[in-house]
Amino acid sequence: ALFGLRKIVASDRWNTTARHILAKALIATGRLNEAIKQIEAGIKVDPKNQLLIQEYANIGRILRQDAQNETAALVEERVRRLLGRP
């Protein structure tokens, strides 16, 4: 499944839906750094994409649970900026 999603994203970098689905699959397999890259690439295309922002916030929560506080803080700060919050 990941291979097919990666092919779709590679062939259409504007496809934020495919990036979102790929990010969810990467999260499910514990590949958070790869998921972050997909979400950030999707947000560059569509900065107001609520599904991508929500998934980004989800990664922040997972990182906090895994005691990866420094990375979680960076993700949480980015989510706040995307949502227009201080």
Side-chain angles (χ1 to χ4, degrees):
L2 287 176
F3 179 75
L5 289 168
R6 287 180 197 278
K7 280 184 70 172
I8 293 169
V9 168
S11 69
D12 181 6
R13 68 186 188 103
W14 304 103
N15 189 335
T16 57
T17 301
R19 285 191 186 278
H20 177 242
I21 295 168
L22 177 55
K24 288 182 76 68
L26 290 165
I27 291 166
T29 59
R31 298 174 183 172
L32 298 181
N33 288 332
E34 291 179 62
I36 289 170
K37 289 177 186 175
Q38 290 302 320
I39 290 170
E40 289 177 347
I43 287 171
K44 284 181 183 176
V45 172
D46 183 3
K48 302 292 183 191
N49 187 307
Q50 292 301 305
L51 290 175
L52 290 172
I53 294 169
Q54 180 181 356
E55 211 58 59
Y56 212 8
N58 183 44
I59 290 174
R61 286 188 291 276
I62 293 168
L63 290 167
R64 284 273 178 220
Q65 290 172 350
D66 290 345
Q68 296 181 43
N69 294 325
E70 187 174 315
T71 307
L74 294 172
V75 168
E76 291 162 353
E77 172 61 27
R78 177 80 169 125
V79 169
R80 280 193 298 277
R81 278 190 273 134
L82 289 167
L83 294 173
R85 297 179 185 157

